[in-house]
Structure formats: structure tokens, C-alpha cells
Amino acid sequence: TEKWRGQGKKESQIKELWNEYVPRHLLQRLHGYELMMAPYAIAHMKIGLKLYETGYRFDSDERVRVYLTNALEPVQDSTGILAFAIPALAREAEAVNSVKRNQRFTVVLGNPPYSKASKNLGAQFSKLIEDFRYYEGKRIREPGAILFERDINNDYVKFLGLGINITKISAYGILGMITSNSYLDGKNFRGVRDSLSNFSNSLCIINLHGDSRSGSLRRSGVLDENVFDIETGVSILLTTHKSGSAESRFMDYADIIGTYSSKAEVLNDSR
């Protein structure tokens, strides 16, 4: 809108252009996956409210493309059962299958669940973390194989694998995620770190710490609060990927330790 104002367009013209742009270009490019019904409904409501605040009139039939689905699951044909039981969910399943099968994305953002006791088990999910079983080209062999499997089967690790796979398919893209910070130094995650390093043209990580259970900072008596109301330490990852690029890789890492307010101040500083 600032560009349009700079071109001398009136406010009424800007609103008309915006109402043309949203259904034709914005909504068709935004896609989201949510597994739980309540957040799924809230996502639709919040996006709708934000669009309303911008002056969007909802004259188009174009929907908000947030789908009720498990993002980790591949395309599944369950429309027959759903069509018999709940027709609306059958249409939702058909739509999300089409997106997963055909759509390509250049920006992937997420805040996945962190769960060591993952319920997403099986060959279709194991594919997402297969590359993480290797370090410097060699398959990782750990004496504590059970712990190794538990760690790399954490749901957030699968989401990292999903994000990498999606971005690779598009040949160029940006991947940003807020996850547990356990992959940053855990021995069982060295394959994750190796894959991210090889995948990324640029890789920026902010370790927000905040582990209230058994973190080294807590054991040392350092005051360190989480930015979320959880016990698991967290980090922010932002990486870019360009297939076949000969550009030198850029990596940046930062620790933010302290109170919630001090961390929020750093994160809110746009500089």
C-alpha cells in the first residue's frame, strides 16, 4: 500500500486494488496445515480479522487455505470413508491431498510440536528423517540405539525433515522454524546438524535456551527464563536454500540468556 500511495493513488483506489489482490494473489499463495480442530478454527478467525482490519470486503468466494490435516502425513485416499460419514471433511481431505501432491512452496514456516513419544511412526514418517541417520556420509551407529531412535523420531525433527524436503523440491526457498533447541548440541542430532549445514546456503540460529528441567544453565544457577510457557529450551532457525548454487555458505549463531523481558526486548528489536 505504501508503494501505491507513493504513486499518488487515492485511498479508495488502494482499497479497490487490495480487494482485487487478496483473492487473486494472496490467498491462493498462502497454505497452512493444522491437526487440531480448535487451533484450525482460530487460525481462520484470526486471518479473517486481520484481513478485515486491512479493508478487505470478503466479496470473493476464495477461502483461507488452512487445512485440517497432519502436515507430516503424505497424500492419503480416505475420501470414500469421510464422504460417507462427514462430507465436509471429505472435501477438506480432497483439497489438502491436491495441495500436498501438486503445490510447490518457496517459503516454509512452522512451530511444530516437540514430542519424544512421537505417534508419527512408520515408513512414511521415517523417510522424513532418513538423512539425519548419516554424518559426513556415513551411517550413524550408536551403542544406545534406542535413545538415538527416540531422539531423532521427535516430532519437531520430522518437521525439520519435511521443511527441508519441501524446499528442496522447489529448488529455492526459505525455511524458518521455532523448535526445541536439543538438536544444537545433542550427540544423537549430529546428523541433523550435518544435513542442515549441507542443505543451507545461509543458516541463522538464535538459541533462546529456557530449559527449566535439566539444562546446564539451570544447574549452574544462571537465571534463564523461557520465552514460552513451556519447560523445553527453544531456538529459532532461519535458512535459505538454492539448488546448484556455488555461493559461499553463511552461518550465524547467537545465544540469548536471561529473563523473559530481556529476551523479548532483543527479539522485538528490528535492528
Side-chain angles (χ1 to χ4, degrees):
T1 57
E2 291 300 326
K3 179 180 179 182
W4 292 334
R5 289 192 180 97
Q7 294 173 347
K9 294 187 181 298
K10 296 180 180 179
E11 194 71 28
S12 59
Q13 290 178 301
I14 293 173
K15 287 185 178 180
E16 289 302 321
L17 289 170
W18 177 242
N19 275 272
E20 291 178 11
Y21 176 82
V22 170
R24 291 183 182 180
H25 303 288
L26 180 61
L27 293 179
Q28 293 184 25
R29 295 164 62 188
L30 291 174
H31 296 75
Y33 300 147
E34 175 53 54
L35 179 61
M36 300 178 68
M37 179 60 77
Y40 166 80
I42 291 172
H44 281 82
M45 181 179 69
K46 285 192 171 183
I47 293 172
L49 288 173
K50 180 57 65 176
L51 287 173
Y52 177 77
E53 291 173 6
T54 67
Y56 184 56
R57 296 191 299 262
F58 302 93
D59 292 335
S60 168
D61 292 332
E62 189 66 39
R63 62 165 285 182
V64 174
R65 301 188 180 192
V66 177
Y67 300 100
L68 189 65
T69 185
N70 182 347
L72 296 177
E73 288 182 347
V75 174
Q76 292 188 339
D77 185 14
S78 57
T79 54
I81 299 173
L82 290 175
F84 174 77
I86 311 175
L89 287 183
R91 291 191 293 271
E92 184 84 349
E94 184 178 357
V96 76
N97 277 340
S98 178
V99 173
K100 289 183 176 181
R101 185 184 295 110
N102 303 315
Q103 194 69 40
R104 298 295 177 262
F105 301 101
T106 54
V107 179
V108 179
L109 303 173
N111 180 15
Y114 326 144
S115 176
K116 291 182 180 179
S118 175
K119 296 180 180 179
N120 297 300
L121 301 174
Q124 71 272 36
F125 302 108
S126 184
K127 291 179 181 178
L128 298 173
I129 55 174
E130 182 60 27
D131 288 348
F132 302 155
R133 300 179 185 278
Y134 293 83
Y135 178 71
E136 294 184 343
K138 297 180 180 179
R139 191 172 182 87
I140 298 173
R141 305 290 183 184
E142 283 295 324
I146 295 177
L147 290 178
F148 175 78
E149 286 298 320
R150 183 201 66 181
D151 286 347
I152 68 166
N153 270 283
N154 194 308
D155 279 338
Y156 88 84
V157 179
K158 294 190 176 84
F159 271 89
L160 284 174
L162 176 66
I164 289 174
N165 289 347
I166 290 174
T167 312
K168 277 183 176 178
I169 292 173
S170 297
Y172 179 84
I174 299 171
L175 171 63
M177 285 200 179
I178 300 174
T179 70
S180 163
N181 65 355
S182 58
Y183 75 96
L184 296 178
D185 57 5
K187 181 182 179 183
N188 288 338
F189 298 106
R190 60 190 185 275
V192 178
R193 297 190 292 271
D194 190 51
S195 291
L196 282 171
S197 177
N198 293 330
F199 163 80
S200 305
N201 290 103
S202 65
L203 176 61
C204 298
I205 294 173
I206 301 176
N207 189 349
L208 294 169
H209 294 278
D211 191 327
S212 63
R213 296 171 299 182
S214 59
S216 59
L217 293 173
R218 182 178 178 82
R219 292 196 299 270
S220 301
V222 176
L223 176 61
D224 181 50
E225 298 177 341
N226 205 305
V227 295
F228 302 110
D229 189 20
I230 58 175
E231 297 179 331
T232 304
V234 296
S235 67
I236 300 173
L237 174 146
L238 184 64
T239 177
T240 64
H241 170 76
K242 184 177 181 181
S243 296
S245 173
E247 298 176 8
S248 59
R249 287 185 169 87
F250 169 79
M251 300 183 68
D252 193 17
Y253 174 87
D255 291 290
I256 302 181
I257 300 168
T259 62
Y260 169 85
S261 58
S262 65
K263 293 180 180 181
E265 183 178 357
V266 173
L267 293 174
N268 287 328
D269 188 346
S270 60
R271 294 172 296 178

